[in-house]
Amino acid sequence: PQAKMIFAVSLLLGTTITITSNHWVMAWTGLEINTLAILPLISKSHHPRAIEAATKYFLVQAAASTLVLFSSMTNAWHTGQWDITQLTHSTSCLILTAAISIKLGLVPFHFWFPEVLQGSSLTTGLLMSTIMKLPPITLLFMTSQSLNPTLLTTLAILSAAIGGWMGLNQTQIRKILAFSSISHLGWMTIILVYNPKLTLLNFYLYALMTSTMFLTFNSMKVLKLSTLMTAWTKTPSLSAISLLTLMSLAGLPPLTGFLPKWMIIQELTMQEMAPTAIIISLLSLLGLFFYLRLAYCATITLPPHTTNHMKQWHTNKPVNMSIAILTTLSIMLLPVSPMIFAII
């Protein structure tokens, strides 16, 4: 418990340092603290796959952090500025975009993310999909005015496409959630230069919905589609409501997930980028397919009645309160969207 406490505090500390810093070296320090805090959590189970995931994660994040330092040094060399918002040198901007893409798992630097997520537990996967993505996204937010819009749009459309395509034939739930994360990152990146606040709003709502899914699967003890098919006898109400959360992740109205997509498409059309908006909307249909597949396995199919299928016992244990609150928020926030816009 003490070690867990130290790692949790370090995670929060690293994230806070990066978010609140103005100096590049402080931001880099926060990213490093974060990486070192989550490594023991990934390799906790001592399974060969977990050790492999931790090693991959360490190498990728170390490379990305080095590039962050390199881009800030190049910028300081040319302009004499260490301030994060003063990133004006074009080469530095390109290197920083690459570094943050590696940290986030944006295409074409996405290969490590599904593998690492598959090697870690669902709770660690939850941390890596939400808290670990926040510091790099805030760095993008702070430097958004000097980044290259064409490059970011290309990365975003590729992420939405590959996140959708590669998620289609997966049977492991953690990998499906990883590819869903990659396609959502595409939506966040595409609007970054034009309206950075929408990127943050999209990230918050994505974190909310993905936390709900991770916690739901964790409470059902489900890791792949075949076990998901028999899990409905265990907690029928949670299985039924997870259908709605999955549809919300896919971005269907009238659920919460529709709100960021709607706003991003509106903003892109205002920027006269209607073809881009059409392309990324069509690519999100790929994501909808595998969310529907998950929902189908969770609630609509009955498992084949053969002897090798063990029915799971129905638990009378009440559903965790946090799952209930998160699920409600992931489904019902669309009507309060005017209030959300007033806040941001």
Side-chain angles (χ1 to χ4, degrees), residues 31-39 57-58 61 65 103 132:
L31 291 171
E32 285 300 295
I33 293 173
N34 253 1
T35 305
L36 293 175
I38 203 154
L39 281 172
Y57 187 76
F58 173 72
Q61 298 294 322
S65 297
K103 274 213 167 291
M132 298 301 288

Side-chain angles (χ1 to χ4, degrees), residues 217-236 239 303 309-316:
F217 291 138
N218 194 36
S219 75
M220 289 181 187
K221 301 282 178 285
V222 171
L223 292 175
K224 51 182 190 290
L225 288 181
S226 56
T227 45
L228 185 60
M229 283 185 180
T230 56
W232 66 273
T233 49
K234 204 173 177 183
T235 47
S239 296
H309 262 288
M310 287 292 288
K311 278 276 186 8
Q312 297 194 27
W313 284 96
H314 184 104
T315 50
N316 283 328

Side-chain angles (χ1 to χ4, degrees), residues 11 14-15 18 24-39 42 56-71 94-114 116-117 125 127-140 155 159 178 181-182 185 189 203:
L11 268 176
T15 309
T18 307
W24 273 113
V25 176
M26 282 304 285
W28 172 80
T29 313
L31 291 171
E32 285 300 295
I33 293 173
N34 253 1
T35 305
L36 293 175
I38 203 154
L39 281 172
I42 299 174
K56 282 178 180 169
Y57 187 76
F58 173 72
L59 291 172
V60 168
Q61 298 294 322
S65 297
T66 316
L67 281 175
V68 168
L69 258 190
F70 180 55
S71 82
L94 279 176
I95 298 170
L96 182 83
T97 309
I100 302 286
S101 303
I102 296 172
K103 274 213 167 291
L104 288 171
L106 268 173
V107 174
F109 311 105
H110 64 288
F111 297 102
W112 63 273
F113 190 53
V116 172
L117 218 61
L127 288 175
M128 279 161 48
S129 303
T130 53
I131 293 183
M132 298 301 288
K133 298 260 165 101
L134 184 57
I137 282 182
T138 45
L139 286 181
L140 277 181
L155 288 180
S159 296
S181 175
I182 292 168
L185 279 169
T189 319
F203 174 73

Side-chain angles (χ1 to χ4, degrees), residues 22-29 31 64-97 99-100 139 143:
N22 280 322
H23 197 285
W24 273 113
V25 176
M26 282 304 285
W28 172 80
T29 313
L31 291 171
S65 297
T66 316
L67 281 175
V68 168
L69 258 190
F70 180 55
S71 82
S72 53
M73 279 170 64
T74 318
N75 189 57
W77 198 11
H78 283 277
T79 61
Q81 283 285 348
W82 279 101
D83 196 312
I84 293 181
T85 49
Q86 304 294 322
L87 190 78
T88 47
H89 191 246
S90 56
T91 316
S92 303
C93 291
L94 279 176
I95 298 170
L96 182 83
T97 309
I100 302 286
L139 286 181
T143 55

